[in-house]
Amino acid sequence: MNAVSPAWIIARKDVTMFFRDRTGMALGFLLPVVLIAVFGFVMKFAFGGGSGMPRATLWVADADGTDRSRSFVEDLREADMLRVRPRIGEAAKDAAEVRALVADGEVHHALVIEKGFGEAVSAGELPELTMIRDPGRTMEDQVIQVGLMQA
């Protein structure tokens, strides 16, 4: 007797029983679809709306104040992953103020664009940027790193 034939007979019997049981078949096909829809709906609101990735808030202090640094801040505002603060029209904060915000726990990430940023970019060198962050916020740190790379 061939060893494969009993396995095929048992498999055929199980598949036939599965398709005869309407309740089992409905649960087998509909339950995963319902679970995916429910979890997708919850995740949409948990991660901030329609985009697939969450947006992290990044406070920026521009100590350089050149056209190049202002252009960089505008590029940061256009990055999909970041919500740049202060918003347009809000009063700008200096490096000491954003450091105090992070130290007080009001903000989890701040970027200081150091003096000489514009000169370094014009010379083709890497400009000096200082990231101040809350060490316990690693997920936001990864999102902000991706946003910085976009800019």
Side-chain angles (χ1 to χ4, degrees):
M1 180 170 205
N2 190 355
V4 176
S5 62
W8 281 110
I9 292 169
I10 292 170
R12 190 175 71 183
K13 175 200 63 99
D14 287 343
V15 169
T16 304
M17 287 178 57
F18 176 74
F19 284 112
R20 283 185 187 164
D21 181 14
R22 292 177 190 225
T23 304
M25 193 168 61
L27 285 175
F29 289 113
L30 293 179
L31 187 63
V33 172
V34 170
L35 288 175
I36 289 170
V38 167
F39 283 116
F41 183 74
V42 168
M43 291 302 203
K44 178 179 177 182
F45 289 106
F47 287 120
S51 68
M53 289 293 291
R55 295 180 72 178
T57 302
L58 175 67
W59 280 79
V60 177
D62 186 3
D64 192 39
T66 61
D67 289 336
R68 296 249 186 201
S69 64
R70 283 190 288 275
S71 175
F72 178 64
V73 172
E74 287 306 313
D75 290 343
L76 287 173
R77 289 185 195 286
E78 292 174 8
D80 296 332
M81 311 294 275
L82 299 177
R83 186 176 301 118
V84 176
R85 298 286 312 269
R87 294 185 183 107
I88 297 173
E90 286 183 341
K93 300 212 181 276
D94 64 4
E97 290 174 317
V98 295
R99 287 178 199 277
L101 288 173
V102 174
D104 293 342
E106 296 177 36
V107 173
H108 53 79
H109 281 81
L111 178 71
V112 178
I113 302 171
E114 301 291 345
K115 289 189 184 287
F117 178 89
E119 293 172 8
V121 171
S122 296
E125 299 172 359
L126 288 176
E128 187 174 343
L129 300 170
T130 303
M131 178 68 70
I132 304 131
R133 67 182 188 92
D134 178 358
R137 307 292 290 262
T138 56
M139 184 171 194
E140 288 91 348
D141 190 44
Q142 293 172 357
V143 171
I144 287 174
Q145 287 177 13
V146 171
L148 286 172
M149 294 306 262
Q150 284 179 345

